[in-house]
Amino acid sequence: QLQLVESGGGLVQPGGSLTLSCVASGFTLEYYAIGWFRQAPGKGREVVSCMSSSGRSTNYADSVKGRFTISRDNAKDTGYLQMNRLKPEDTAVYFCAISYGSTPCTIDAYHYWGQGTQVTVSS
């Protein structure tokens, strides 16, 4: 019954934009921090961005800062990642995950994960 589902991935040209969504089912998202992570082929999973449950605190990886924006709509139990000026290096499977309470923006702090959505940036 509990589910976290990412969507919005696809193929986009360099310089383009894409918005990812993360919908929570079976629980209320507003009590949780939300994070976005990605894993490129042959590489480990890395942090992209995190946002506290209140939305007051955000973190971004240096590689995406200024290009990506994390947001949430608690009324819809949905988190978002707006990605602009995409680069081929952004190609990866993107995951959303949640964490209860105050936690650092690290992979191990996030305990419930979605299945991921593929983002491919290519001309």
Side-chain angles (χ1 to χ4, degrees):
Q1 296 298 315
L2 302 177
Q3 203 169 15
L4 203 59
V5 180
E6 305 94 333
S7 64
L11 176 64
V12 64
Q13 294 185 354
S17 298
L18 207 59
T19 300
L20 306 183
S21 299
C22 177
V23 180
S25 299
F27 62 96
T28 302
L29 187 62
E30 67 176 313
Y31 303 113
Y32 298 85
I34 186 167
W36 287 95
F37 308 84
R38 67 186 182 187
Q39 187 164 13
K43 297 183 178 181
R45 193 167 298 184
E46 65 176 354
V47 174
V48 176
S49 182
C50 299
M51 174 175 275
S52 64
S53 60
S54 67
R56 297 173 184 172
S57 178
T58 59
N59 294 92
Y60 294 94
D62 289 341
S63 59
V64 307
K65 194 174 184 65
R67 299 189 298 120
F68 290 11
T69 303
I70 189 170
S71 63
R72 63 194 298 152
D73 186 342
N74 288 337
K76 296 181 178 179
D77 287 328
T78 303
Y80 303 94
L81 183 69
Q82 176 66 50
M83 305 184 294
N84 298 323
R85 302 188 300 280
L86 283 160
K87 304 174 180 179
E89 305 92 273
D90 296 318
T91 296
V93 177
Y94 283 71
F95 301 87
C96 68
I98 58 169
S99 177
Y100 188 81
S102 297
T103 57
C105 188
T106 58
I107 293 171
D108 60 294
Y110 284 76
H111 49 82
Y112 197 85
W113 294 75
Q115 296 285 68
T117 184
Q118 177 71 47
V119 173
T120 302
V121 185
S122 177
S123 61

